């Protein structure tokens, strides 16, 4: 998920039932997986943060609703800094790991697959990961915890961006090697690419990833694609009713040419007729090419999304009633849950997570994993990392406008979810990454939108490192510092 010009999330909520959903007949999609990302554990700029205040875990009772609907894969984003808080090669935090494993077990016990997603953009504690050996060790340690669960899929990292392309190749290969060295030999591995893993830029940007090797031959190339004008996933408006198919065509040809398999790890559209047609066109095109496309995951569900325009959280998420019937058309035959209780039995508890081990102050709260991502249609300037395989490379990107931030939701206390009081701060990482100023096209302003007299509108950026736009929020809202790079009108 990326950042750009926004329409306030509240306006999306008013459109939930604006367009009647057309009668959609089930078709044999040829897919292996269709599901949704489940956000929460990657939220918040505070490291390690407090469960229920800075971050949350997915509500497994709501996941069970989606299982009963027919989804069979759920992507679980988490932060590397919370799981391995002291250093990438260090021991894992016992409480965060326990909660992650409980969530994974609850989902896989229901018969669904879980995609483990370090939501870090190729960064650790705010700096580009340059040590392939450290990254391999991290993945060997993590994969060792899940090696016996054949329904776990490993996603090497969310949305690498503005990195030397050879480094992205090396990090992906290191992750594959570490996972297999841990004894996780039966699971699929999803590899992501540079430029926010965007499908529409994949063939030009990530061509060298065809060189990746896996002794188990279970590499799947995870791409992301949004349908608004700049591909950022921040507008309810889609570029056209056919844009979904159009933006996947070159990636599809790349997969076919290189004899590879692909998976669309993030996609979404606004609740309106044009976007519905675009999403249907995207899924139909993927289904027609299911010899290379193994499926797709909607962005996003989770208990703190509130009125976020793409929320798939059952049953009142803004996009749920409109897009679930469209997605159902492509669900995998026989993938529905056989029981309704297994997914709620092992959810992490707030009490347990509240005892999470604290980390040293050297772990930066400015981690790039807590800043929203942008995928621009322009050609990005790559911030090259040194070729050394040790240490980290400091990166100081400038975020653009944020996606709507998650809000507290009383339903998070329902069966199977952590119970907690409403968060005192809003999460800063529901979207995926951030944008450097070099990727902004000349036709698009990087200044925060204003409602009147230069005042910044609700949900938009009002401050941060390298930010030069307005800093005064419109009446009723305050500029709140989320991290050194990003302040927001809330």
């Amino acid at each position: 998920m990326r950042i750009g010009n926004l329409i306030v999330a509240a306006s999306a909520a008013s459109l939930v039932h604006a367009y009647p959903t057309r009668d959609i007949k089930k078709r044999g999609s040829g897919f292996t997986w269709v599901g949704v990302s489940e956000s929460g554990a990657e939220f918040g700029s505070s490291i390690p943060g407090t469960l229920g205040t800075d971050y949350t875990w997915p509500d497994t009772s709501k996941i069970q609703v989606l299982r009963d609907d027919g989804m069979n894969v759920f992507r679980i984003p988490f932060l590397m800094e919370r799981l391995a808080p002291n250093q990438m090669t260090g021991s894992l935090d016992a409480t965060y790991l326990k909660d992650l494993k409980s969530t994974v077990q609850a989902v896989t016990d229901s018969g669904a697959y879980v995609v483990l997603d370090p939501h870090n953009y190729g960064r650790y504690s705010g700096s580009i990961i340059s040590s392939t050996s450290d990254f391999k060790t991290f993945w060997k340690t993590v994969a060792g915890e899940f090696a016996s669960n054949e329904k776990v899929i490993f996603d090497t990292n969310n949305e690498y961006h503005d990195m030397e392309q050879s480094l992205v190749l090396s990090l992906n290969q290191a992750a594959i090697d570490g996972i297999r060295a841990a004894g996780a030999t039966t699971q699929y591995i999803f590899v992501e690419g540079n430029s926010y893993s965007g499908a529409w830029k994949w063939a030009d940007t990530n061509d060298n990833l065809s060189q990746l090797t896996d002794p188990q031959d279970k590499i799947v190339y995870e791409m992301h694609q949004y349908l608004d004008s700049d591909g950022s996933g921040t507008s309810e408006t889609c570029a056209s009713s056919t844009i979904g198919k159009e933006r996947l065509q070159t990636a599809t040809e790349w997969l076919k040419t290189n004899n590879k398999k692909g998976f669309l790890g993030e996609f979404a559209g606004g609740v309106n007729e044009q976007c519905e047609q675009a999403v249907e066109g995207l899924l139909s095109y993927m289904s027609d090419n299911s010899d290379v496309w193994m499926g797709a995951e909607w962005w996003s569900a989770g208990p703190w999304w509130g009125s976020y325009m793409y929320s798939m959280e059952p049953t009142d998420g803004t996009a749920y009633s409109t897009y679930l019937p469209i997605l159902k058309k492509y669900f995998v035959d026989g993938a529905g849950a056989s029981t309704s209780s297994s997914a709620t039995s092992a959810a992490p508890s707030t009490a347990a997570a509240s005892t999470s081990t604290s980390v040293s102050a050297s772990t930066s709260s400015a981690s790039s994993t807590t800043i929203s991502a942008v995928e621009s249609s322009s050609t990005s300037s790559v911030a090259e990392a040194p070729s050394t395989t040790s240490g980290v490379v400091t990166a100081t990107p400038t975020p653009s406008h944020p996606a709507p931030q998650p809000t507290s939701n009383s339903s998070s206390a329902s069966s199977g979810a952590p119970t907690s009081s409403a968060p005192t701060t809003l999460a800063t990482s529901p979207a995926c990454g951030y944008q450097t100023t070099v990727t902004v096209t000349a036709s698009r302003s990087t200044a925060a939108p204003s409602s009147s007299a230069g005042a910044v509108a609700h949900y938009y950026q009002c401050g941060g490192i390298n930010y030069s736009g307005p800093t005064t929020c419109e009446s009723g809202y305050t500029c709140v510092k989320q991290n050194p790079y990003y302040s927001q009108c809330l």
Side-chain angles (χ1 to χ4, degrees), residues 14 55 73 90 92 113 122 164 182 219 268 294 326 342 456 490:
S14 67
Y55 70 95
V73 65
L92 305 183
Y113 287 80
E164 184 179 3
I219 295 174
M294 298 187 73
I326 296 175
S342 59
V456 181
L490 300 172

Side-chain angles (χ1 to χ4, degrees), residues 106-452:
V107 175
T108 59
D109 279 353
S110 78
Y113 287 80
V114 162
V115 179
L116 287 180
D117 163 36
H119 217 69
N120 277 67
Y121 314 96
R123 273 80 173 159
Y124 180 83
S125 293
S127 297
I128 292 173
I129 301 167
S130 63
S131 172
T132 55
S133 62
D134 286 359
F135 198 54
K136 177 181 177 179
T137 298
F138 170 82
W139 265 116
K140 183 178 180 181
T141 303
V142 173
E145 299 289 340
F146 299 93
S148 63
N149 192 333
E150 294 187 354
K151 289 191 175 294
V152 168
I153 298 168
F154 301 106
D155 178 349
T156 62
N157 226 258
N158 178 70
E159 295 187 350
Y160 302 93
H161 70 91
D162 296 289
M163 297 167 63
E164 184 179 3
Q165 188 60 33
S166 61
L167 179 61
V168 175
L169 172 65
S170 297
L171 289 174
N172 273 301
Q173 189 63 60
I176 294 168
D177 295 345
I179 290 165
R180 298 309 185 207
T185 58
T186 62
Q187 295 93 337
Y188 285 93
I189 298 175
F190 286 3
V191 297
E192 297 200 34
N194 215 348
S195 194
Y196 303 99
S197 215
W200 61 344
K201 303 296 181 184
W202 187 275
D204 293 332
T205 304
N206 294 299
D207 185 56
N208 70 333
L209 298 191
S210 64
Q211 301 170 25
L212 292 170
T213 60
D214 173 24
Q216 306 304 318
D217 195 25
K218 285 195 169 184
I219 295 174
V220 178
Y221 291 81
E222 181 184 324
M223 306 180 196
H224 299 172
Q225 190 60 62
Y226 294 92
L227 309 179
D228 44 356
S229 61
D230 60 0
S232 65
T234 56
S235 171
E236 295 164 303
T237 303
C238 291
S240 74
S241 62
T242 59
I243 195 65
K245 172 183 176 179
E246 292 164 4
R247 287 185 175 170
L248 293 188
Q249 287 176 329
T250 58
T252 301
E253 289 306 312
W254 185 89
L255 292 168
K256 290 178 182 286
T257 299
N258 290 283
N259 194 27
K260 304 298 184 183
K261 297 291 187 179
F263 183 79
L264 197 62
E266 291 184 17
F267 75 103
V271 180
N272 57 73
E273 188 171 10
Q274 181 158 288
C275 284
E276 289 177 45
Q277 292 173 356
V279 168
E280 284 193 66
L282 176 148
L283 291 170
S284 178
Y285 176 74
M286 291 179 66
S287 177
D288 290 342
N289 291 277
S290 59
D291 57 323
V292 293
W293 287 110
M294 298 187 73
E297 286 168 331
W298 182 269
W299 178 270
S300 179
W304 281 5
W305 278 118
S307 59
Y308 174 54
M309 61 187 170
Y310 299 150
S311 175
M312 188 59 69
E313 185 77 347
T315 55
D316 56 355
T318 302
Y320 178 80
S321 62
T322 296
Y323 279 104
L324 182 66
I326 296 175
L327 295 175
K328 273 188 174 182
K329 183 178 179 181
Y330 299 90
F331 284 172
V332 179
D333 290 337
S338 59
T339 66
S340 60
S341 60
S342 59
T344 62
S345 61
S349 66
T350 301
S354 65
T355 61
S356 178
T357 305
S358 61
V359 301
S360 67
S362 63
T363 303
S364 171
S365 63
S367 169
S368 63
T369 61
T370 62
I371 309 172
S372 301
V374 177
E375 180 181 58
S376 173
S377 59
S378 64
T379 301
S380 297
S381 173
V382 177
E384 294 192 0
S387 58
T388 177
T389 58
S390 63
V392 292
V393 180
T394 302
T396 55
T398 304
S400 184
H401 307 319
Q405 305 299 309
T407 58
S408 62
N409 188 331
S410 60
S411 65
S412 65
S414 60
S415 176
T419 57
S420 65
S421 58
T424 57
T425 59
L426 294 179
T428 60
S429 65
C432 304
Y434 44 74
Q435 170 166 350
T436 56
T437 55
V438 297
T439 63
V440 179
T441 61
S443 62
R444 189 156 60 99
S445 172
T446 58
S450 58
S451 57
S452 62

